[in-house]
Amino acid sequence: MDENIVYSKEVIEFIAVANEYCRFLEEASSADGKNLLLVMQKLLPLMYMKALNLPDIDSKLDEETEKFVREEDWQMIKDTLIQKFGAANDYLDINQDRQSTEELIYGDLAENLADMYQDIKDFLMVYRMGTTELMNDALWECRETFRLYWGQTLVNTIRAVHYALTVDAENIGGDVAGRK
């Protein structure tokens, strides 16, 4: 393993965007729903691009990386975002199961953002430990969860944020009753 890979330009740039994303969600209670979505509209595509540039590495350790985000942390962020987004939180999602196209699938912006927060914040917390082997495996795991899960969630969320700000803006912060 090239020990410098965990300090590469691509990794440092991803960390900078990831830190901003997590900080912004942690401070979401002090912003209104429209401003939250406006920041996400800019931050999410940048995070996607930076995640695509992460180096391809192998895991080095046998154990799983430590998890820091508790269920309560995840729930607090999700609840705050639901309250801020209001009726604009729910969106019609794309059905990934090509076998079943008759059923409408709904997405949840707050849940998407909280799920991504959990994976990204766990990555950042392990990285802060400063142990090269742990950083390597945190990076490997971050790339894998991006590839398998939160990358698609991020793309779906970008589409939903765009819709909320351009078509459904009157529902941001509005009553969630009657949606879905």
Side-chain angles (χ1 to χ4, degrees), residues 25-47:
L25 290 183
E26 291 162 355
E27 297 172 1
S29 61
S30 63
D32 67 51
K34 184 172 183 180
N35 284 332
L36 285 168
L37 290 172
L38 286 168
V39 169
M40 288 297 125
Q41 187 179 41
K42 295 169 185 76
L43 195 54
L44 294 175
L46 184 57
M47 190 160 58

Side-chain angles (χ1 to χ4, degrees), residues 161-180:
V161 166
H162 176 79
Y163 181 85
L165 287 169
T166 59
V167 178
D168 202 24
E170 69 278 357
N171 285 317
I172 299 171
D175 184 22
V176 288
R179 294 283 288 206
K180 285 192 186 178

Side-chain angles (χ1 to χ4, degrees), residues 8 17 19 37 40 52 55-56 59 67-68 76 90 92 98 100 104 108 112 139 141-142 166 170:
S8 69
V17 175
N19 267 319
L37 290 172
M40 288 297 125
L52 286 175
D56 188 15
S59 177
K67 304 301 178 207
F68 293 88
M76 183 180 68
D90 301 324
L92 191 58
R98 290 182 172 87
S100 170
L104 292 178
D108 181 320
N112 289 358
L139 181 58
E141 187 174 302
C142 185
T166 59
E170 69 278 357

Side-chain angles (χ1 to χ4, degrees), residues 99-114:
Q99 303 298 325
S100 170
T101 58
E102 296 175 17
E103 186 178 324
L104 292 178
I105 306 292
Y106 287 92
D108 181 320
L109 280 172
E111 185 171 337
N112 289 358
L113 293 169

Side-chain angles (χ1 to χ4, degrees), residues 21-140:
Y21 174 77
C22 291
R23 183 194 61 77
F24 196 73
L25 290 183
E26 291 162 355
E27 297 172 1
S29 61
S30 63
D32 67 51
K34 184 172 183 180
N35 284 332
L36 285 168
L37 290 172
L38 286 168
V39 169
M40 288 297 125
Q41 187 179 41
K42 295 169 185 76
L43 195 54
L44 294 175
L46 184 57
M47 190 160 58
Y48 185 82
M49 182 182 74
K50 296 303 180 185
L52 286 175
N53 289 328
L54 289 173
D56 188 15
I57 60 171
D58 294 320
S59 177
K60 299 295 180 191
L61 302 173
D62 292 333
E63 63 271 357
E64 207 175 283
T65 59
E66 188 173 349
K67 304 301 178 207
F68 293 88
V69 178
R70 301 169 302 154
E71 180 71 24
E72 304 86 55
D73 303 325
W74 178 90
Q75 192 66 53
M76 183 180 68
I77 286 178
K78 182 183 177 201
D79 290 346
T80 298
L81 295 174
I82 287 172
Q83 186 257 330
K84 296 294 182 173
F85 298 155
N89 184 60
D90 301 324
Y91 65 94
L92 191 58
D93 205 353
I94 296 172
N95 187 350
Q96 298 293 336
D97 179 9
R98 290 182 172 87
Q99 303 298 325
S100 170
T101 58
E102 296 175 17
E103 186 178 324
L104 292 178
I105 306 292
Y106 287 92
D108 181 320
L109 280 172
E111 185 171 337
N112 289 358
L113 293 169
D115 284 352
M116 291 185 296
Y117 169 86
Q118 186 171 24
D119 285 345
I120 293 166
K121 184 68 173 190
D122 283 340
F123 160 75
L124 291 171
M125 295 302 290
V126 171
Y127 232 77
R128 287 182 182 150
M129 292 178 178
T131 305
T132 304
E133 293 82 16
L134 293 174
M135 294 164 72
N136 179 87
D137 280 20
L139 181 58
W140 174 83

